[in-house]
Amino acid sequence: MSWGKFLVRALVLFIVFWLLLFFGYGNLVLADSVVPVEGMEVDEWLAGFRMCGGISGILGFICAAIWFYIGDGFAGESGISVKYYGLLIVSFVFGVAANFLFLPASQEGSGCASLFVIIFPMLLYYLSSLIVSAPQVKYIPPLSEVIHK
C-alpha cells in the first residue's frame, strides 16, 4: 500500500468517526443536555467540543501515520509489537491531553464527551492500523488475523 492510499483511507476513517462521535452526538444529544459554564452559549460549547474532537482525531491520525511509516520500513527485526503498543499508549495520552487542554468546561450534561475525546485517537489509530496498515505489519494489531484471512 502506498502513502496516497493510506492517507485517503485514514482520512475517510477520521471523517466518518468524527461525524458520528462529535457532530452527531453533539447535535443529537449534547445540544439538549449540556449546561456550559456561565457566560458561554450552548452553540459555543458545541463548537469547542467539535474542535476538541478534531484535534483529538488529528493526534490519532499522526500516530497512525507513524505506524504506517514504521511498517513501511519494517524488515523483520524484533520489537515491532512493542512499537505498536507504545503508539497505542501515546494515542491514549494524546486523547487525555486533548480532553484536559481543549474541551470546554461545563456545569453538567456533557455525558460521554470526555470519553469520546479520550478514546477517539486510540480508535482511529487502532482501526487505521487494522484496515490500512503497511503490508509488512498487517498482522501485528489484535484481531488482524480475522480481518486479513
Side-chain angles (χ1 to χ4, degrees):
M1 178 178 299
S2 67
W3 273 99
K5 286 182 183 179
F6 164 76
L7 289 174
V8 169
R9 291 178 182 175
L11 284 174
V12 167
L13 280 173
F14 170 73
I15 291 168
V16 166
F17 281 101
W18 182 84
L19 286 172
L20 287 173
L21 295 176
F22 294 95
F23 193 79
Y25 178 70
N27 287 344
L28 297 175
V29 176
L30 289 179
D32 297 331
S33 67
V34 72
V35 179
V37 293
E38 190 174 330
M40 182 182 279
E41 297 290 325
V42 173
D43 292 335
E44 185 181 350
W45 190 92
L46 287 173
F49 172 65
R50 287 186 209 111
M51 183 201 65
C52 183
I55 291 169
S56 179
I58 289 170
L59 294 172
F61 181 80
I62 289 170
C63 288
I66 292 170
W67 175 248
F68 187 83
Y69 175 77
I70 290 170
D72 200 31
F74 181 64
E77 61 270 2
S78 63
I80 192 69
S81 62
V82 172
K83 293 175 185 175
Y84 176 79
Y85 288 109
L87 278 171
L88 188 64
I89 292 169
V90 167
S91 68
F92 173 75
V93 170
F94 281 166
V96 170
N99 181 51
F100 286 113
L101 295 175
F102 300 110
L103 187 65
S106 66
Q107 292 178 6
E108 63 179 64
S110 60
C112 295
S114 291
L115 178 66
F116 288 163
V117 170
I118 291 171
I119 66 166
F120 188 44
M122 293 173 51
L123 178 71
L124 188 61
Y125 168 67
Y126 174 71
L127 290 176
S128 294
S129 67
L130 190 65
I131 297 170
V132 295
S133 65
Q136 298 92 320
V137 293
K138 69 181 181 180
Y139 293 109
I140 301 299
L143 302 176
S144 60
E145 295 85 19
V146 176
I147 299 284
H148 296 293
K149 277 188 175 182

